Amino acid sequence: MARIKIDMPDNYTFTTELPVRISDINYGGHLGNDAVLSMIHEARIRFFNYYHYTELDVEGAGIIMTDSAIVYRAEGFHGDQIQIDVAVGDFNKYGCDIYYMLSNKKTAEEIAHAKTGIVFFDYKSRKVIPVPEGFSACMEKDTKQ
């Protein structure tokens, strides 16, 4: 079976930090895969908040996650501080990908690479809608800086 590979971006527009809590540790004694998905969800919420958006209101549109991929590169342990760098890319008519680089804040060791695909959604009509122009313009501007 082919391994998943995520082509990570060179530049990130947002950074946040999260601690590895005891509830994030699995039976193997390290950061569990479910906890990593939860951490990138929290990072996505913080990313949107940084730009004064929410997952239900990005220029009037909501979002829905269409897929996710995580590639594990090293273990994380209870008490580690995880730095999560976030970038947006691969825009299409209805959505884009959000990339997450998780690394140990103290050692700079990469813990995981992750990507979530999102589409924009009108929750009233229950339909996928085009990417809001204000969002794509904001992300394009920040990516170039």
Side-chain angles (χ1 to χ4, degrees):
M1 181 170 125
R3 302 257 324 163
I4 293 173
K5 182 176 182 330
I6 302 172
D7 293 324
M8 298 300 287
D10 294 328
N11 300 307
Y12 297 86
T13 59
F14 177 77
T15 298
T16 192
E17 295 177 18
L18 292 169
V20 177
R21 305 165 307 166
I22 194 64
S23 59
D24 297 328
I25 301 302
N26 65 16
Y27 60 86
H30 54 233
L31 182 62
N33 58 32
D34 58 327
V36 172
L37 192 58
S38 181
M39 288 177 139
I40 65 175
H41 184 191
E42 179 66 29
R44 186 173 58 254
I45 295 289
R46 292 179 183 190
F47 167 79
F48 279 126
N49 286 340
Y50 176 78
Y51 288 99
H52 307 288
Y53 297 132
T54 70
E55 289 187 320
L56 293 175
D57 185 6
V58 179
E59 306 286 334
I63 67 161
I64 291 180
M65 189 169 65
T66 57
D67 59 48
S68 62
I70 302 171
V71 176
Y72 302 96
R73 303 182 55 86
E75 294 176 295
F77 299 99
H78 178 248
D80 287 349
Q81 193 70 13
I82 305 298
Q83 177 175 313
I84 306 173
D85 298 313
V86 181
V88 176
D90 296 332
F91 278 88
N92 61 53
K93 182 177 179 180
Y94 299 107
C96 60
D97 289 333
I98 303 177
Y99 296 91
Y100 314 84
M101 172 80 71
L102 286 74
S103 56
N104 182 307
K105 175 78 172 162
K106 184 177 180 182
T107 66
E109 183 174 30
E110 291 180 5
I111 303 296
H113 294 171
K115 177 198 82 74
T116 56
I118 62 166
V119 294
F120 290 87
F121 193 74
D122 181 331
Y123 279 91
K124 288 182 182 173
S125 67
R126 310 301 296 177
K127 293 184 179 179
V128 173
I129 59 174
V131 175
E133 289 182 22
F135 178 75
S136 58
C138 178
M139 294 302 109
E140 185 175 312
K141 179 184 72 110
D142 270 11
T143 301
K144 290 181 180 178
Q145 290 182 358

